[in-house]
Amino acid sequence: MFTEHAISVAIVNSFSEKLIDGFDLDVAIVGAGPSGLVAAKYLADAGVKTALFERKLAPGGGTWGGGMLFNEAVVQQEALHILDAFNISYKEVKDGYYTLDTVEMASGLIFGAMKAGAKMFNSVSVEDIVFKENQVGGLVINWTPVERLGMHVDPLTVMAKAVIDGTGHPSEIMKLASSKAGIKLDTETGGVIGEKPMWAETGENQTVESTREYYPGLYACGMSASNVSGGYRMGPIFGGMLLSGEKIAEIIVNKLKK
């Protein structure tokens, strides 16, 4: 029979094992939005040791609210194979476009990534990167409540062969790398260019096209890739985000095999 003491000990022991194992990774993904979750599943499926670090309590990024709190979103036909891989349902509208329930999508992406073997650390903020010998090699993490309360608490460090910026519109890790390490990113300006206004079709294509390695050890996917490279905004259509996650996983798996 479980006692109150046994329950507490079980939680602390189990989480401690998971956290210690998460200090040494193949891939650390910052941000558990749709592209990061897709990347996590495909990386884990390939046997790559992967963990997601999500600042908020609930993973899923901007998926939950759909378009203006109508919890529906659009996905184009090219990305349906990813929804099928996560067992997420959808219905056809017309012209190769489909709608889906964003609550099902968010929960399905989270469940699929974790069942594949990726680890999730929510309520964890990334405050810095590890930068050694001109390569990004990990993250500096702390609890989100510590960050938000401005408490003077030293962080801990996660080492990784690859870091993915999946932080969405802010491209937070790219900005950290550029400002603190003086990294020249693989963009037209060498820095974060910033997001352009709405142009859904072009924005979708650019999100996938801009998904790549921007500096040794540092990658971007989803809206972060679009923002760092100066792409257009696309709104509540998610095919590009899903395809971006699939692409960045393929890039990293191929690189780690070399």
Side-chain angles (χ1 to χ4, degrees), residues 141-160:
I141 62 169
N142 215 325
W143 298 115
T144 296
V146 169
E147 178 193 58
R148 291 184 175 175
L149 290 170
M151 300 171 67
H152 296 290
V153 177
D154 279 332
L156 295 174
T157 303
V158 172
M159 304 305 293

Side-chain angles (χ1 to χ4, degrees), residues 18-218:
K18 180 168 63 175
L19 183 61
I20 291 169
D21 189 52
F23 285 149
D24 185 20
L25 300 169
D26 292 324
V27 181
I29 304 174
V30 187
S35 61
L37 289 165
V38 170
K41 171 180 166 53
Y42 284 113
L43 287 165
D45 282 342
V48 177
K49 189 178 180 183
T50 304
L52 298 118
F53 297 86
E54 168 57 46
R55 171 175 287 159
K56 295 180 180 178
L57 181 61
T63 308
W64 297 97
M68 211 178 79
L69 291 182
F70 295 92
N71 63 335
E72 293 282 331
V74 171
V75 171
Q76 55 272 58
Q77 188 168 2
E78 292 78 5
L80 294 186
H81 67 281
I82 300 175
L83 295 178
D84 291 338
F86 283 85
N87 198 30
I88 296 170
S89 56
Y90 49 83
K91 61 182 180 181
E92 186 171 9
V93 182
K94 64 175 183 177
D95 301 329
Y97 287 90
Y98 299 74
T99 58
L100 75 172
D101 185 292
T102 57
V103 174
E104 180 185 350
M105 178 166 69
S107 55
L109 292 175
I110 296 165
F111 183 77
M114 297 190 70
K115 292 304 287 184
K119 295 294 186 288
M120 177 79 69
F121 297 98
N122 57 333
S123 296
V124 172
S125 292
V126 175
E127 62 180 55
D128 209 344
I129 58 170
V130 176
F131 185 67
K132 293 183 176 183
E133 299 174 349
N134 293 317
Q135 179 158 336
V136 176
L139 305 172
V140 180
I141 62 169
N142 215 325
W143 298 115
T144 296
V146 169
E147 178 193 58
R148 291 184 175 175
L149 290 170
M151 300 171 67
H152 296 290
V153 177
D154 279 332
L156 295 174
T157 303
V158 172
M159 304 305 293
K161 297 172 185 174
V163 169
I164 300 176
D165 186 335
T167 62
H169 299 271
S171 301
E172 292 180 20
I173 308 306
M174 293 291 173
K175 288 180 179 177
L176 268 175
S178 180
S179 63
K180 292 200 72 175
I183 286 173
K184 186 175 182 180
L185 301 171
D186 181 22
T187 65
E188 292 178 3
T189 64
V192 176
I193 296 175
E195 184 182 272
K196 290 187 174 70
M198 177 81 77
W199 185 356
E201 183 177 4
T202 298
E204 283 288 278
N205 293 332
Q206 288 177 336
T207 298
V208 180
E209 291 168 1
S210 60
T211 298
R212 62 178 187 270
E213 186 176 25
Y214 281 84
Y215 192 84
L218 181 60

